[in-house]
Amino acid sequence: MCGIIARIGQGEAADTLLTGLENLEYRGYDSAGIAVQNGSGVKVHKCSGEVSELKSQLDGQPHGNLGIGHTRWSTHGPPTDENAHPHTDTVGDVAVVHNGVIDNYDELKADLQAKGHEFESDTDTEVIPHLITEYLDDVDDTEAAVRQAVDTLEGSYAIAAIVDGEERVYAARKGSPLVLGLDDEEWFLASDVPAFLDHTDEVIYLEDGDLVTLEPNAYWITDLEGQPVDREVDTVDWDPEDAGKGEYDHYMLKEIHNQPTALSNTIEGRVEDGDVAFEDLPAGTFADIETVQFVACGTSYHAAMYGAQLLREAGLRTEVIRASEYESTTGPVDENTLVVAVTQSGETADTLDAVRTATDRGARSLAVTNVVGSTISREADDAVYIRAGPEVGVAATKTYSSQAVTLSLLTQRIAADVPETTPAADRDAMLAELQHLPEYVEQVLESTRAETLAEETLDSDSYFFIGNGLGHSVALEGALKFKEITYEHAEGFASGQLKHGPLALVTEASPIFAVVTGDGDEKTKTNAIEAQSRGAPIVAVGPEEHALVDVADEHLSVPATHPVWAGLLANVQLQLVSYHAAELLDRPIDKPRNLAKSVTVE
Ligand code: AGP
């Protein structure tokens, strides 16, 4: 939540900062701002609203070769101009952008106010520039003052700061992501790589406790004691094209259509001679594992349900726990417990917290993530990448498909190591069909009737999604996507649960999207008929020859395949229904209200 960027080098900084912020808007879009340094002081430009609003308010490009920028998801204080970042000290000589939450800002603010500092915003961030100024009086060296300031902060932060008259950018991180981008003639700092991917793919992922100082021709990293720190330079293998919208109106639509490619990348090299292989997880890796706990939030939780069901079927004790509930709901954990953290961004605070709690209790951890260098990939004992490529739309689409496939394969890999498990009887057929999944998704995208269905059901009161077994995961995901981007009431249920309460909500104005996979669909059929008897239109979503074929009022068909993959094809249809409904309702599809892609606060 919140995106920060900084740039220093030859030439003007403003344009790069603004483009970088646009690429970071998936992290928040309540307000935007930049500060540039141009020989006549630090100039701050900021306003509530999106980066486009900030651009329209700028009277030409502000001049300066170095600067910082911010796009906000509000935590402390409403999305007003005053609360927009950058924030400055009383005289405006120090400007700071921040992502994170400062827990002790109340007491720091009171102390600073008592010393004469004047504040203008409700934010926690504003204490940081004031602290830097305060310490500058003591140490007369800005780097030391920044170090002292961040050392005083409790909570989480990635910050970047500039100071009047200095050809430098200072930055530090603890608990919030920060990556350094290295080009020939300029350096960048940002919350995430897409901010500067147009310029460079050479990066350094900074670690907690790092403080970096950038000059036009040099940079150095130190720790909180001021000792030099060496960090490895990585090359990012994301294509800048992947981070743009291309020919599509929205990132979400582009990412839905990118699924055949994403899935091919996810699968590549992971099924060989009928066996599942993960490069860094050789045979025997999981030999001691007795219990597996999946932890995740939102869409990633729904994907985790996929992995959990398959592992349970193989005979291993398995739980799937919403990460935010982990601390209070998990059963006993020991060194034979594997905690699998499923998170697209690798930065979700609830998921990171769950893994830290599990680690403290003695469990082993494995991250399943999309983002190389993310916090989870560095904190977990092992990491597996879903290889979906950058996802910018706040509504996760291609990453759900790639997560579910990765987890389905991972469960086969884990089960192969644990002697007590039984491989699925049709495992070979399942793995063989997986190779065709990208082309099946392509067929769905080419022949879908999702737009027509979205139009036909547009005036409904509520939208219900039901499914059984793996179809339950898809039903929950279908409902989450629908509510997230249309703002309409949508709920997902295990088919058999409909009659235990939700049926009271069912009317002729509440279409039921029934997910069928070819496995366990009888329950879905019975419950769909019960809803239909109360007037609800039934839309069957699944392979053409399915249990509901004579019952459903409408069909969204997918190619016939193994039941494990049929659910994922059904999900593509549901993604498209949500997309088209949101488009017909004229919703801001890529930036749904109140949301941010990466939820880095609890
Ligand atoms: C999905 O459309 C959501 N934007 C959200 O539920 C998301 O999946 C959740 O916040 C978890 O994010 P993560 O995968 O990055 O951990």
Side-chain angles (χ1 to χ4, degrees):
M1 331 209 84
C2 297
I4 70 169
I5 184 166
R7 182 268 184 196
I8 186 167
Q10 304 306 315
E12 299 288 346
D15 206 25
T16 306
L17 293 174
L18 291 165
T19 309
L21 287 183
E22 282 172 334
N23 293 337
L24 286 176
E25 270 194 310
Y26 65 88
R27 302 181 70 88
Y29 28 85
D30 286 340
S31 65
I34 58 170
V36 290
Q37 158 84 282
N38 65 9
S40 60
V42 170
K43 299 283 182 236
V44 175
H45 305 268
K46 61 182 187 174
C47 64
S48 59
E50 298 182 6
V51 179
S52 55
E53 179 59 31
L54 174 68
K55 276 170 129 178
S56 72
Q57 287 190 18
L58 286 173
D59 187 14
Q61 294 283 356
H63 296 298
N65 70 318
L66 67 101
I68 54 178
H70 189 269
T71 179
R72 179 172 187 241
W73 187 87
S74 312
T75 55
H76 297 68
T80 58
D81 291 354
E82 294 73 31
N83 289 334
H85 298 215
H87 291 285
T88 64
D89 63 331
T90 309
V91 292
D93 283 350
V94 178
V96 169
V97 288
H98 164 228
N99 169 31
V101 173
I102 306 303
D103 296 331
N104 60 338
Y105 85 99
D106 257 347
E107 62 197 74
L108 292 173
K109 188 169 176 174
D111 274 1
L112 288 159
Q113 280 171 325
K115 289 176 180 154
H117 292 258
E118 289 166 24
F119 284 75
E120 289 180 352
S121 78
D122 310 312
T123 67
D124 51 342
T125 303
E126 200 179 355
V127 296
I128 306 171
H130 289 274
L131 278 175
I132 295 173
T133 310
E134 184 64 25
Y135 292 133
L136 260 175
D137 284 349
D138 301 340
V139 292
D140 207 27
D141 161 9
T142 312
E143 188 178 303
V146 172
R147 183 171 292 110
Q148 212 168 329
V150 295
D151 209 20
T152 315
L153 304 176
E154 287 168 17
S156 60
Y157 55 80
I159 64 155
I162 57 174
V163 178
D164 183 29
E166 293 192 23
E167 279 276 280
R168 280 183 173 185
V169 174
Y170 302 93
R173 77 155 273 179
K174 184 186 142 210
S176 297
L178 191 61
V179 55
L180 174 58
L182 309 170
D183 199 6
D184 290 343
E185 296 183 342
E186 50 190 348
W187 315 127
F188 306 90
L189 282 158
S191 302
D192 203 353
V193 174
F196 54 69
L197 195 54
D198 281 346
H199 299 269
T200 183
D201 56 4
E202 300 286 296
V203 303
I204 293 177
Y205 296 103
L206 296 166
E207 305 269 347
D208 280 355
D210 287 355
L211 192 148
V212 54
T213 305
L214 309 178
E215 289 184 347
N217 298 311
Y219 71 87
W220 57 95
I221 305 170
T222 50
D223 63 17
L224 289 181
E225 270 73 53
Q227 296 307 309
V229 173
D230 247 350
R231 295 272 174 245
E232 218 174 284
V233 178
D234 279 308
T235 305
V236 177
D237 67 358
W238 284 355
D239 187 332
E241 288 274 302
D242 291 346
K245 254 193 286 206
E247 71 204 62
Y248 296 92
D249 290 342
H250 297 98
Y251 283 108
M252 182 183 177
L253 190 61
K254 180 192 170 195
E255 287 155 6
I256 291 173
H257 279 263
N258 187 231
Q259 286 176 112
T261 307
L263 285 169
S264 298
N265 292 336
T266 301
I267 298 163
E268 200 186 336
R270 286 178 170 169
V271 183
E272 274 170 4
D273 304 325
D275 265 332
V276 175
F278 282 90
E279 216 179 341
D280 298 325
L281 305 172
T285 305
F286 303 109
D288 296 338
I289 295 306
E290 290 169 5
T291 304
V292 176
Q293 295 180 330
F294 291 88
V295 294
C297 296
T299 290
S300 295
Y301 176 85
H302 300 150
M305 288 172 71
Y306 243 81
Q309 171 153 338
L310 295 177
L311 212 45
R312 226 176 270 130
E313 282 172 7
L316 203 62
R317 198 161 45 217
T318 306
E319 290 178 275
V320 52
I321 304 160
R322 289 185 171 82
S324 54
E325 305 299 304
Y326 187 80
E327 201 163 3
S328 51
T329 60
T330 181
V333 164
D334 59 21
E335 71 277 12
N336 303 119
T337 306
L338 177 70
V339 170
V340 181
V342 187
T343 162
Q344 186 283 130
S345 61
E347 303 293 346
T348 298
D350 288 325
T351 309
L352 289 169
D353 248 33
V355 172
R356 288 170 190 151
T357 306
T359 307
D360 286 349
R361 293 176 185 173
R364 257 173 74 182
S365 59
L366 170 64
V368 175
T369 184
N370 194 30
V371 182
V372 177
S374 56
T375 303
I376 197 77
S377 70
R378 284 177 288 119
E379 288 196 10
D381 295 324
D382 291 293
V384 163
Y385 296 99
I386 64 168
R387 305 176 184 159
E391 187 178 69
V392 178
V394 167
T397 52
K398 63 175 178 175
T399 54
Y400 172 81
S401 300
S402 290
Q403 283 172 330
V405 166
T406 307
L407 289 167
S408 303
L409 292 175
L410 184 66
T411 55
Q412 303 308 306
R413 180 69 206 76
I414 295 172
D417 274 357
V418 182
E420 295 77 32
T421 59
T422 330
D426 59 352
R427 183 177 171 276
D428 291 349
M430 174 183 132
L431 294 180
E433 267 300 273
L434 176 61
Q435 306 302 329
H436 300 290
L437 190 61
E439 81 200 43
Y440 293 158
V441 173
E442 200 72 70
Q443 286 170 29
V444 171
L445 295 170
E446 278 165 13
S447 62
T448 182
R449 293 181 57 247
E451 189 169 2
T452 310
L453 252 298
E455 225 171 317
E456 281 173 13
T457 54
L458 199 63
D459 283 331
S460 305
D461 292 342
S462 287
Y463 299 78
F464 297 122
F465 299 75
I466 61 169
N468 191 43
L470 292 175
H472 179 205
S473 154
V474 176
L476 294 183
E477 176 57 12
L480 176 67
K481 214 74 344 174
F482 202 88
K483 71 181 92 170
E484 191 174 21
I485 60 168
T486 67
Y487 311 159
E488 295 294 306
H489 177 235
E491 295 294 340
F493 304 105
S495 307
Q497 288 300 309
L498 208 56
K499 57 187 174 294
H500 294 291
L503 201 56
L505 298 170
V506 166
T507 67
E508 60 286 351
S510 60
I512 311 265
F513 291 87
V515 176
V516 281
T517 63
D519 184 26
D521 295 332
E522 282 309 312
K523 229 177 210 153
T524 304
K525 181 177 181 177
T526 315
N527 286 274
I529 292 172
E530 286 162 8
Q532 197 177 40
S533 309
R534 275 86 184 164
I538 306 298
V539 183
V541 193
E544 264 159 42
E545 294 305 316
H546 55 73
L548 268 73
V549 80
D550 303 324
V551 174
D553 301 291
E554 287 283 0
H555 301 262
L556 285 171
S557 297
V558 307
T561 184
H562 190 280
V564 169
W565 313 125
L568 299 185
L569 296 173
N571 184 57
V572 175
Q573 290 280 23
L574 294 179
Q575 291 170 346
L576 288 162
V577 172
S578 294
Y579 174 82
H580 289 297
E583 208 195 15
L584 290 163
L585 292 164
D586 205 20
R587 304 294 190 227
I589 292 177
D590 285 329
K591 296 173 191 166
R593 72 181 170 211
N594 304 336
L595 301 182
K597 186 154 188 72
S598 182
V599 185
T600 56
V601 293
E602 279 176 46

